[in-house]
Amino acid sequence: MDPLGWRRPAPTVEDRLFRALAVLRVVFWVNAVAINLWNAENFQRPLTGVLVVALLGAWTAYVLHACADAARRTPLLLGLDLAVAVAALVSSPVLKGEGFQATVPGFWVAGALLACAVQYGVRGGLLAGAVLASVDLLVREEIGQANYGNVFLLLIGGPVVGYMASSLRRMAAERDRAQRAAAAEAERVRLGRAVHDGVLQVLALVQRRGAELGGEGADLGRLAGEQEAALRRLILAQDAVDPEGPGGTAGSADLAAALAALGSARVTVATPGTPVELAAHAVAELVAVVRACLDNVRVHVGPEAPAWVLLEAVGDKIEISVRDEGPGIPQGRLDEAVAQGRLGVSQSICGRVADLGGSAGLSTGRFGTEWEIVVPRGPRVGA
């Protein structure tokens, strides 16, 4: 807890990189001072040279203060930083005369280069490196091997640092997502355990005792059983929730959780203990198929008739079984329904399964009715 707001937010990747860059900027300026003092006889305008180096020190101090806050690291600030580096390069022939060997700022210009790379990645590093390299070449009368090496380092160093900064940002984002997912999973497990140890056991007890008491107690037990089934479905559905969004993997859904939501006091749903990921379209179609089978049980067997749904993921196939204990379907009844234009079975069940590249088998008789739905986990299901 931080009621007074004294605790600062955790530093980001950019904050850490700019802190390291702040140290480098100071080192670059101290190096520029030392090199220019060592080669002081090369200046044609020494007093002006001292003023330029002092201004570079003042700008360094200002940039260190400004870049300490992420809100102040704007394109304008970094653009001005790059412009100061360009101006320092351009001042070299004026202060040292034609044919000079080393520029006045020297390696100090690398501070502006690295700042652009850290803030804007590969593109920022490449653009800043190209600008500084071009100006460095333009202010010289002759280009030697040493000058070529400096330009090459500017052109290659910016993109490399930019790539590393972008990679660190992606790694930090992935770490944060993993931590949030782990925390959410731990919380779901804790809540599920608490609900199971308390509410679900009480509802199960009420259901059993109500059935034993009969009358209004039986009705109360039935309601408790329905609420117990609904709560179990909710807990199971939470296992498929992605902390980053409602969809989990893009375009996919958990068939096991979707089928578990169809369970009730009269419908028993059995699914694997792990999620069964399929394309969201395929999951929606299979849920519609199972719902159509259950509607047939409710209409043709009875509103309170029990039904069982079993989901199995076997290798590259998905198998769904929907069974009831009704009187079965009379022989020829389905063909008669098609002739009468009633296409519930042929379209809602068989048609959907065929579109997914699977098959729907029917077993019926005095034992009841059972649909066996088999679909592949291949491209057609994911289409």
Side-chain angles (χ1 to χ4, degrees):
M1 298 295 293
D2 186 24
L4 299 180
W6 290 349
R7 183 180 301 170
R8 295 183 178 181
T12 63
V13 172
E14 290 85 356
D15 294 334
R16 293 187 174 93
L17 291 177
F18 271 98
R19 288 176 184 175
L21 180 57
V23 178
L24 285 178
R25 282 182 179 273
V26 174
V27 172
F28 289 152
W29 182 75
V30 171
N31 178 75
V33 172
I35 293 298
N36 286 308
L37 287 177
W38 188 16
N39 298 319
E41 67 277 4
N42 295 333
F43 280 88
Q44 293 183 355
R45 297 177 175 84
L47 294 180
T48 307
V50 171
L51 177 62
V52 169
V53 174
L55 290 176
L56 292 181
W59 178 256
T60 299
Y62 172 75
V63 171
L64 294 184
H65 169 72
C67 289
D69 186 358
R72 295 194 293 263
R73 295 196 289 263
T74 62
L76 177 61
L77 175 65
L78 298 183
L80 289 175
D81 190 25
L82 186 61
V84 171
V86 170
L89 289 174
V90 173
S91 70
S92 298
V94 177
L95 298 177
K96 291 189 172 184
E98 302 295 337
F100 69 94
Q101 296 296 320
T103 60
V104 173
F107 292 112
W108 183 89
V109 299
L113 169 69
L114 297 179
C116 292
V118 169
Q119 186 71 10
Y120 300 111
V122 176
R123 294 181 179 178
L126 181 60
L127 177 61
V131 170
L132 293 174
S134 300
V135 174
D136 187 87
L137 293 177
L138 288 175
V139 299
R140 298 180 185 275
E141 289 186 349
E142 298 181 357
I143 300 175
Q145 184 175 358
N147 307 134
Y148 168 78
N150 293 335
V151 168
F152 179 77
L153 289 178
L154 289 174
L155 291 175
I156 201 67
V160 168
V161 173
Y163 176 78
M164 294 177 61
S166 300
S167 298
L168 289 174
R169 280 191 287 266
R170 287 194 297 268
M171 292 173 60
E174 292 172 357
R175 179 205 60 196
D176 293 341
R177 284 195 296 269
Q179 290 178 346
R180 287 194 295 269
E185 178 65 21
E187 182 65 11
R188 285 199 297 268
V189 171
R190 186 188 68 82
L191 291 176
R193 186 184 302 114
V195 170
H196 180 270
D197 293 343
V199 180
L200 288 179
Q201 291 187 0
V202 172
L203 290 175
L205 177 61
V206 172
Q207 181 183 13
R208 290 195 301 269
R209 292 293 296 158
E212 295 174 358
L213 293 174
E216 294 183 356
D219 293 337
L220 180 61
R222 179 178 55 82
L223 293 175
E226 292 177 355
Q227 293 304 311
E228 179 193 6
L231 191 54
R232 288 187 185 276
R233 292 196 303 272
L234 179 61
I235 294 174
L236 179 61
Q238 288 301 309
D239 293 336
V241 174
D242 183 356
E244 300 298 322
T249 304
S252 68
D254 183 9
L255 178 60
L259 291 181
L262 300 179
S264 65
R266 72 177 187 88
V267 178
T268 301
V269 180
T271 62
T274 57
V276 180
E277 294 287 342
L278 287 178
H281 165 72
V283 170
E285 291 294 279
L286 290 174
V287 170
V289 168
V290 174
R291 185 178 286 113
C293 295
L294 296 176
D295 289 343
N296 286 337
V297 175
R298 179 179 55 81
V299 173
H300 298 292
V301 181
E304 300 299 328
W308 293 264
V309 178
L310 173 63
L311 169 64
E312 294 181 291
V314 183
D316 59 349
K317 296 187 300 182
I318 299 295
E319 298 181 3
I320 303 175
S321 173
V322 183
R323 180 175 62 87
D324 65 67
E325 294 181 343
I329 302 175
Q331 187 175 3
R333 184 67 185 89
L334 296 181
D335 295 335
E336 180 182 349
V338 173
Q340 294 174 353
R342 301 170 63 182
L343 306 178
V345 171
S346 63
Q347 294 298 327
S348 297
I349 299 177
C350 299
R352 281 192 169 100
V353 174
D355 289 342
L356 295 176
S359 61
L362 175 64
S363 300
T364 184
R366 293 182 179 180
F367 57 86
T369 301
E370 181 174 4
W371 283 97
E372 290 285 347
I373 300 160
V374 180
V375 295
R377 303 179 76 171
R380 290 194 63 182
V381 176

